[in-house]
Amino acid sequence: MKRIKKIIFVIAGFIFLLLGIIGIVLPILPTVPFLLLTSYCFARGSNKFETWFKSSKIYKNYLEGFIINKSMTLKQKIYTSTFADIMIAFPLIIYFNLYIKLFLIIIIIFKYYYFIFKIKTIKI
């Protein structure tokens, strides 16, 4: 069972890596969240893949600064926040339960608070 779980994490890591790479090319998809998920999945699934990913150019260019300095460029913040807003908008539109909508609105407010006050904005 433990081996299957590790394999699932590695597969998920590669899926998120692919989405992150697509996000580099397509400005619609945010890169950083997918690469963070890649790093998380590889850390849970395989030391070999985690080491490989952390030594890659993609990690160094797009993630290392965020992980070390807890900072993002304004462009990264906008893309990430917009993507998250779009994903949260679907349940806001689909569900008619007031409690679910209030919970999602609280998540959005917290997300903006965190992005504005907790993550430093750097210029490149």
Side-chain angles (χ1 to χ4, degrees):
M1 188 67 167
K2 191 174 182 180
R3 182 163 165 75
I4 293 171
K5 198 174 183 182
K6 286 183 176 244
I7 290 170
I8 290 171
F9 273 116
V10 170
I11 291 169
F14 278 109
I15 291 169
F16 291 130
L17 177 61
L18 178 64
L19 290 171
I21 291 170
I22 291 170
I24 293 169
V25 179
L26 293 176
I28 297 172
L29 284 176
T31 303
V32 173
F34 288 121
L35 295 180
L36 282 170
L37 287 168
T38 300
S39 185
Y40 175 81
C41 289
F42 283 164
R44 298 275 188 225
S46 166
N47 289 334
K48 182 176 123 181
F49 286 119
E50 179 187 18
T51 303
W52 166 78
F53 180 64
K54 286 185 175 181
S55 67
S56 71
K57 256 186 170 180
I58 291 172
Y59 178 86
K60 291 179 194 262
N61 289 344
Y62 292 94
L63 216 58
E64 193 171 55
F66 174 73
I67 290 175
I68 293 171
N69 302 322
K70 298 287 187 239
S71 61
M72 299 172 84
T73 64
L74 183 60
K75 183 178 175 182
Q76 288 173 324
K77 281 185 172 185
I78 291 170
Y79 283 145
T80 303
S81 186
T82 303
F83 180 73
D85 287 343
I86 291 169
M87 292 297 111
I88 294 171
F90 287 116
L92 271 174
I93 295 167
I94 293 170
Y95 292 112
F96 296 106
N97 185 318
L98 179 63
Y99 296 111
I100 292 175
K101 288 185 180 232
L102 287 173
F103 178 71
L104 292 172
I105 290 169
I106 290 169
I107 289 174
I108 292 170
I109 292 168
F110 178 77
K111 177 185 65 75
Y112 278 107
Y113 165 78
Y114 195 82
F115 268 66
I116 293 169
F117 297 110
K118 297 294 183 181
I119 300 175
K120 292 183 280 186
T121 304
I122 57 170
K123 293 183 181 181
I124 293 183

